[in-house]
């Protein structure tokens, strides 16, 4: 399903790939900031409300589960209103959830707030990735990495704001309200920019529907995405708690591992598109996965919090390129139904988040956070086996020259 520019162009709105790309980057930044705001404030929320460790783990799992449902709500919204409107609505809902989490006075309220956040971030996820796939198709070259760079920049800023709020002894409610205001500011800057109407490339296998054959071809991408988000959830959701409980870091220092992780992803994703053009997606996936595995092992063995912060940054550098390349390659399997492909592929995302978040939380609650980082290190070593399935986008000129059957 494609949402093209024709109606807006007829009304006098100019086609603009660049403006559309900037708008999508704002939405990615908002998503990264909101996710970071939630994860980096888990220790503070837990201590303020006196949440038991198992309840905290259950809440993180609930966020992932409801995000899976939110992904399908986003798919419905995209088909009715388009990805840009879906992004706007999801961003507003995420901002509301941040405020509710910060000001919650009891367990029931904070549980509802985390559930709302999961639904919002799931809908936002499918919206931003669908829009990114459309824009990359218009460009005819790899640009997915630049969107995830914006996601990571948003995460770094939010994590540093959490650390700053703790340093200035702000209550968690004030810090999350500030973060929500930033997300709403990004919503106000988001505009609908039409993309140049272009002939979509033929679907792999000559089919535009999501048939069984296409689902078989999605499996390698789904498995990679599952592993990536086991890593993502383990580092994102629990790195602050790991530094706080295992390495005895202060509340001011605890969010720095997440900030370092996101800083590493900024560097990795900023270089991803150029690396794909130079080395090819297969080589990039193999090198990145090996780097991530080694860094996770170092994080598991960290003797102190400064070493852990550096290791978390290295994990981000390696793992950061895998998700955008995975999503971009999967979307190219069925360009005319990319939003449906991405919504269903997101199920692997959230299975990974649930698996990583639950496993890390359970191990952490029993005092074994180090093992929680060693297990994902072993899983990432398996990723290079799926690297051969990754592709780079075809330019419009080359696309026209490709045969329409295989």
């Amino acid at each position: 399903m494609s949402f093209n520019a024709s109606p807006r162009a007829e009304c006098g709105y100019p086609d603009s790939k660049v403006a559309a790309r900037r708008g999508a980057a704002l939405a990615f930044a908002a998503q990264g900031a909101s996710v970071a705001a939630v994860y980096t404030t888990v220790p503070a929320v837990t201590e303020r409300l006196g949440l038991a460790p198992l309840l905290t783990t259950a809440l993180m799992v609930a966020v992932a589960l409801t995000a899976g449902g939110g992904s399908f709500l986003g798919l419905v919204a995209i088909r009715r209103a388009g990805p840009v409107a879906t992004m706007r609505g999801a961003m507003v809902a995420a901002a509301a959830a941040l405020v509710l989490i910060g000001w919650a006075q009891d367990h029931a309220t904070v549980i509802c707030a985390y559930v709302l956040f999961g639904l919002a971030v799931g809908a936002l996820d499918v919206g931003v990735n669908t829009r990114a796939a459309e824009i990359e198709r218009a460009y005819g070259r790899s640009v997915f990495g630049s969107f995830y760079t914006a996601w990571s920049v948003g995460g770094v800023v939010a994590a540093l704001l959490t650390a700053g709020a703790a340093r200035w002894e702000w209550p968690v409610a004030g810090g999350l309200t500030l973060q929500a205001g930033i997300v709403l500011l990004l919503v106000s800057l988001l505009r609908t920019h039409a993309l140049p109407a272009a002939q979509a490339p033929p679907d792999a296998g000559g089919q535009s529907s999501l048939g069984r054959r296409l689902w078989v071809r999605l499996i390698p991408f789904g498995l990679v995405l599952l592993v990536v988000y086991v890593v993502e959830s383990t580092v994102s959701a629990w790195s602050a708690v790991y530094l706080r409980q295992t390495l005895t870091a202060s509340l001011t220092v605890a969010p720095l591992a997440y900030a370092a992780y996101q800083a590493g992803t900024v560097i990795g994703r900023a270089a991803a598109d150029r690396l794909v053009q130079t080395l090819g997606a297969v080589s990039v996936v193999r090198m990145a996965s090996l780097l991530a595995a080694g860094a996770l092992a170092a994080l598991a063995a960290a003797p102190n919090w400064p070493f852990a912060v550096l290791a978390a940054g290295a994990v981000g550098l390696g793992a950061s390129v895998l998700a955008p390349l995975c999503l971009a390659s999967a979307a190219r399997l069925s360009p005319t139904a990319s939003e449906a492909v991405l919504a269903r592929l997101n199920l692997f995302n959230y299975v990974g988040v649930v698996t990583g978040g639950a496993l890390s939380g359970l191990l952490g609650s029993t005092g074994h956070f180090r093992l929680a980082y060693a297990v994902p290190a072993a899983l990432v070593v398996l990723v290079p086996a799926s690297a051969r399935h990754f592709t780079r986008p075809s330019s419009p000129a080359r696309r026209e020259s490709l045969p329409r059957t295989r």
Side-chain angles (χ1 to χ4, degrees):
M1 190 173 197
S2 177
F3 299 89
N4 57 43
S6 300
R8 287 178 57 81
E10 291 173 1
C11 295
Y13 292 91
D15 288 340
S16 175
K17 294 185 294 186
V18 174
R21 186 176 178 181
R22 289 172 181 166
L26 289 176
F28 271 92
Q31 186 186 22
S34 60
V35 169
V38 166
Y39 285 153
T40 57
T41 54
V42 168
V45 172
T46 298
E47 293 180 15
R48 185 173 70 85
L49 295 178
L51 304 179
L54 286 179
L55 178 56
T56 303
T57 299
L59 284 175
M60 295 301 100
V61 172
V63 169
L65 290 174
T66 53
S71 180
F72 285 95
L73 290 177
L75 174 60
V76 173
I78 288 170
R79 287 175 168 171
R80 293 190 176 185
V84 177
T86 300
M87 292 188 298
R88 285 197 188 100
M91 289 162 70
V92 171
L98 293 180
V99 174
L100 287 174
I101 291 170
W103 291 93
Q105 298 299 313
D106 52 53
H107 292 185
T109 304
V110 81
I111 289 170
C112 292
Y114 277 118
V115 168
L116 174 61
F117 180 77
L119 292 171
V121 81
L124 182 56
D125 204 22
V126 70
V128 294
N129 282 306
T130 297
R131 186 60 169 167
E134 293 175 350
I135 293 169
E136 182 171 90
R137 195 156 58 244
Y139 269 83
R141 60 181 174 84
S142 179
V143 297
F144 240 88
S146 65
F147 294 123
Y148 276 83
T149 301
W151 195 103
S152 298
V153 169
V156 171
V157 171
L160 292 176
L161 283 174
T162 299
R167 176 69 179 83
W168 298 323
E169 299 183 349
W170 285 14
V172 66
L176 283 174
T177 300
L178 173 62
Q179 308 264 31
I182 293 173
V183 173
L184 291 176
L185 175 62
L186 293 176
V187 174
S188 71
L189 297 175
L190 191 60
R191 300 288 184 271
T192 301
H193 296 284
L195 289 170
Q199 179 67 36
D203 286 344
Q207 59 181 16
S208 60
S209 62
L210 300 182
R212 181 176 300 175
R213 180 182 176 187
L214 182 59
W215 279 115
V216 171
R217 299 187 68 191
L218 269 179
I219 290 175
F221 302 110
L223 293 177
V224 172
L225 206 61
L226 188 153
V227 172
V228 168
Y229 280 97
V230 166
V231 175
E232 167 72 23
S233 64
T234 301
V235 179
S236 298
W238 299 108
S239 61
V241 182
Y242 175 47
L243 263 66
R244 176 70 169 163
Q245 294 184 0
T246 303
L247 302 178
T248 63
S250 67
L251 284 174
T252 302
V253 167
L256 294 183
Y258 186 92
Y261 172 75
Q262 291 298 343
T265 67
V266 170
I267 297 171
R269 288 168 174 171
D273 294 326
R274 185 174 294 276
L275 287 173
V276 168
Q277 296 299 321
T278 303
L279 303 175
V282 173
S283 296
V284 172
V285 168
R286 286 173 177 162
M287 291 187 298
S289 58
L290 292 176
L291 173 59
L296 280 165
L299 184 59
N304 50 51
W305 71 259
F307 188 95
V309 169
L310 291 175
V315 174
L317 187 64
S320 60
V321 303
L322 298 177
L325 295 184
C326 185
L327 292 164
S329 293
R332 286 192 286 274
L333 293 178
S334 183
T336 57
S338 60
E339 77 287 351
V341 171
L342 293 170
R344 286 157 176 78
L345 190 61
N346 270 350
L347 290 179
F348 292 92
N349 169 345
Y350 298 121
V351 169
V353 171
V354 169
T355 303
L359 178 62
S360 301
L362 289 172
L363 290 173
S365 65
T366 57
H368 294 89
F369 261 127
R370 294 186 186 278
L371 185 58
Y373 289 104
V375 172
L379 292 176
V380 176
V381 173
L382 304 176
V383 170
S386 298
R388 63 187 179 87
H389 296 281
F390 285 71
T391 61
R392 73 174 83 191
S394 300
S395 66
R398 180 173 177 267
R399 191 183 299 150
E400 292 175 0
S401 68
L402 290 175
R404 303 188 75 81
T405 59
R406 303 183 92 178

